[in-house]
Amino acid sequence: MVSDPFTPCRKHFCKVFIQYSSMASDFFYPNMGGVEEHIFNLSQCLLARGHKVIVITHSYGDRKGIRHMTNGLKVYYIPIRVFYNQVVLPTMICNIPLLRYILLREQIDIVHGHSAFSTLAHETMNVAKLLGLRSVFTDHSLFGFADLSAVVTNKFLEISLANCNHCICVSHTGKIHYQRFDRSIMIQVHWCIPGKENTVLRAKVHRDKVSVIPNAVDTAYFTPNPCRRPNDDETINVVVVSRLVYRKGVDLLAGILPKLKHLPNVHFIIGGDGPKRALLEEIRERNNMQDRVVMLGALEHAKVRDVLVQGHIFLNTSLTEAYCMAIVEAAACGLQVVSTKVGGIPEVLPTSLMILTEPTVESVYRGLREAIRREMEKKQITSSRYMNGSIDGLVPTPSRTSYTGLCAFERNQIVANLYNWNNVTERTEKVYRTALQEAPVTLELMMKK
């Protein structure tokens, strides 16, 4: 590689690039999501630690060419046509000249790809291997083995990761979904296995080359603000921030809303957009809950915190998740989390911050009612302390109560101790160093693999 004459001492150069998912997930700005946030925050931390980081993604509308973001993060919006659901057409050949030019121009050492659905990610990693560079891959999703889409995706992933230096998973726990058909009756059997094993089995990667590094959250930004909540003693706000698609369990949410129409003090704030939005609006109108169910539509990530701090409870009804960033952000904002027990969610937060339920309407409803009960108990205690408080210094505030829950700021501190981007960056750097220590692979050996 040609040395940079303007930099007397070049540090490890690494490239963090975008993945695009065939699941209609957004993977970099101007679109926002969990993967996009992971890439951006990891890039910012690597920049702060002295690395050079660039991002490669396809163009978004008029956003083409080179753009610079916070702290000089360089983003290449390359002019590649989108094929389906924000995924570029997988040619494996046509984009080689452009990707090769960028990697050589920026003197890249490591290519770090994100998401199994991203064609551009896999193509860039393969071009990097042909140039003798190192490649690291982060898997943000869980897959089954039975349906046709999973079979095709897993085979493609196996080919793409055959020469990858190291893989990263965002959680330990996952589920493999096996489907058995018997006389038009479909039975689903769920076997719980580590998410690391899910990647090992799907992509046939040696388990020693797979590490688990979770996501993180900026707890300095996602902080509680109880003043934004309703100031009365009755209203309970339940917040839902999610893409309104089947995989996020919107049908479960639609089944829960009618069960709560007899509780006039429970209000819903729903942020997000998607094909299932019409279903929620229909349920809202059918049950005359227009004044209690607010549909905010699509949200910019910068506005998510402003929505979260208005709530007491955060509801997540996902049917499958490798790692749910939304519940971590909600807990950091001091909300009681109620979530379905699927994928890697059980390992994300401790039981003191989260109520886990089965992915059924009845189970989620029971979990939500328990969270409402806790919040009402806390409200009654707070009101009692105010009514009996020593405003004039005469009546002491009770020192002991029956409520044993955590306050909003205690929840934020717990999340801050569990997840922070500096820790994630340090662990990712160890993976980079391990990859850099590996000897380059010859073309002959790559073809054999």
Side-chain angles (χ1 to χ4, degrees):
M1 298 177 61
V2 180
S3 61
D4 187 349
F6 300 100
T7 306
C9 181
R10 191 168 72 108
K11 300 183 179 180
H12 291 311
F13 277 48
C14 57
K15 171 198 163 290
V16 179
F17 73 89
I18 306 301
Q19 321 264 38
Y20 303 100
S21 162
S22 50
M23 286 174 29
S25 298
D26 304 330
F27 287 87
F28 204 67
Y29 185 83
N31 293 317
M32 294 303 298
V35 177
E36 298 86 336
E37 183 185 355
H38 180 101
I39 294 170
F40 179 80
N41 287 323
L42 179 60
S43 300
Q44 292 297 323
C45 290
L46 288 170
L47 286 170
R49 296 173 70 89
H51 297 272
K52 176 181 178 180
V53 184
I54 68 170
V55 175
I56 299 178
T57 182
H58 65 70
S59 58
Y60 283 87
D62 295 333
R63 184 174 289 270
K64 300 177 182 178
I66 300 175
R67 301 293 180 95
H68 289 84
M69 301 182 70
T70 307
N71 295 325
L73 177 61
K74 193 174 185 178
V75 184
Y76 282 86
Y77 290 94
I78 58 180
I80 300 179
R81 184 179 296 276
V82 173
F83 173 60
Y84 176 70
N85 279 359
Q86 296 299 327
V87 177
V88 300
L89 182 65
T91 64
M92 303 303 294
I93 297 176
C94 298
N95 302 323
I96 289 180
L98 184 55
L99 295 176
R100 175 184 179 275
Y101 173 77
I102 295 174
L103 296 179
L104 293 180
R105 174 184 179 178
E106 298 293 339
Q107 300 184 5
I108 300 302
D109 290 329
I110 295 180
V111 171
H112 188 173
H114 298 261
S115 175
F117 292 104
S118 172
T119 302
L120 183 59
H122 296 297
E123 289 191 3
T124 309
M125 287 192 296
N126 288 328
V127 172
K129 297 304 294 184
L130 293 175
L131 294 174
L133 309 179
R134 310 302 188 271
S135 62
V136 175
F137 174 74
T138 297
D139 195 356
H140 294 264
S141 304
L142 297 177
F143 294 89
F145 294 83
D147 58 284
L148 179 60
S149 62
V151 172
V152 174
T153 303
N154 293 342
K155 178 56 66 174
F156 179 77
L157 191 64
E158 177 186 348
I159 297 172
S160 177
L161 299 185
N163 296 294
C164 184
N165 294 97
H166 207 89
C167 294
I168 298 173
C169 295
V170 294
S171 66
H172 292 275
T173 306
K175 281 190 177 182
I176 300 181
H177 303 271
Y178 290 94
Q179 295 182 342
R180 181 171 69 253
F181 293 88
D182 183 14
R183 294 183 180 179
S184 74
I185 299 177
M186 184 184 73
I187 304 175
Q188 284 193 337
V189 183
H190 303 275
W191 289 357
C192 291
I193 65 170
K196 178 178 177 179
E197 295 296 332
N198 185 270
T199 300
V200 169
L201 292 175
R202 286 164 43 221
K204 296 183 179 179
V205 180
H206 196 281
R207 60 182 303 132
D208 293 340
K209 288 192 172 185
V210 181
S211 302
V212 177
I213 303 177
N215 284 323
V217 63
D218 185 3
T219 52
Y221 174 74
F222 286 93
T223 55
N225 184 5
C227 297
R228 294 291 305 277
R229 296 176 178 177
N231 55 10
D232 60 81
D233 297 334
E234 298 294 333
T235 303
I236 297 292
N237 281 348
V238 180
V239 177
V240 179
V241 178
S242 170
R243 289 177 290 105
L244 303 183
V245 296
Y246 171 79
R247 190 174 68 89
K248 293 298 183 178
V250 179
D251 295 275
L252 296 179
L253 179 60
I256 293 169
L257 290 177
K259 290 178 174 293
L260 294 171
K261 65 180 181 180
H262 65 283
L263 297 177
N265 62 316
V266 178
H267 294 233
F268 282 82
I269 303 175
I270 303 176
D273 205 351
K276 289 287 185 177
R277 177 172 179 172
L279 172 63
L280 295 179
E281 292 177 343
E282 179 184 351
I283 295 297
R284 179 179 64 172
E285 295 180 5
R286 184 184 303 171
N287 293 276
N288 296 320
M289 299 176 68
Q290 291 90 337
D291 59 331
R292 293 168 49 199
V293 179
V294 179
M295 306 287 293
L296 300 178
L299 293 174
E300 296 180 6
H301 191 260
K303 298 181 180 179
V304 170
R305 186 252 178 189
D306 295 335
V307 175
L308 291 176
V309 295
Q310 300 178 39
H312 303 86
I313 301 169
F314 183 84
L315 179 61
N316 174 58
T317 58
S318 295
L319 301 180
T320 174
E321 287 283 359
Y323 180 100
C324 186
M325 281 292 295
I327 64 174
V328 181
E329 294 172 347
C333 289
L335 278 70
Q336 170 70 61
V337 175
V338 179
S339 176
T340 48
K341 186 169 58 176
V342 297
I345 288 180
E347 71 183 69
V348 174
L349 292 174
T351 55
S352 60
L353 302 182
M354 178 170 56
I355 298 175
L356 292 174
T357 71
E358 296 298 326
T360 63
V361 172
E362 289 300 325
S363 181
V364 175
Y365 173 68
R366 288 194 298 269
L368 187 56
R369 286 300 302 265
E370 172 62 19
I372 293 172
R373 184 193 65 79
R374 294 181 185 180
E375 289 297 327
M376 290 302 300
E377 181 181 355
K378 182 167 66 173
K379 277 178 170 287
Q380 292 172 1
I381 293 171
T382 304
S383 176
S384 174
R385 284 181 173 178
Y386 176 77
M387 296 299 295
N388 299 325
S390 55
I391 298 177
D392 55 0
L394 300 177
V395 183
T397 301
S399 60
R400 293 181 179 272
T401 66
S402 60
Y403 180 73
T404 59
L406 301 171
C407 76
F409 294 96
E410 289 175 328
R411 297 176 188 275
N412 178 272
Q413 188 58 47
I414 292 175
V415 175
N417 294 335
L418 289 174
Y419 301 108
N420 66 81
W421 281 110
N422 290 329
N423 177 266
V424 171
T425 305
E426 290 175 1
R427 295 164 70 176
T428 305
E429 281 182 321
K430 293 180 180 179
V431 173
Y432 289 168
R433 285 194 291 268
T434 301
L436 287 170
Q437 292 172 359
E438 296 185 11
V441 181
T442 63
L443 180 61
E444 180 182 1
L445 183 56
M446 284 191 289
M447 295 303 293
K448 288 182 179 179
K449 289 184 178 181

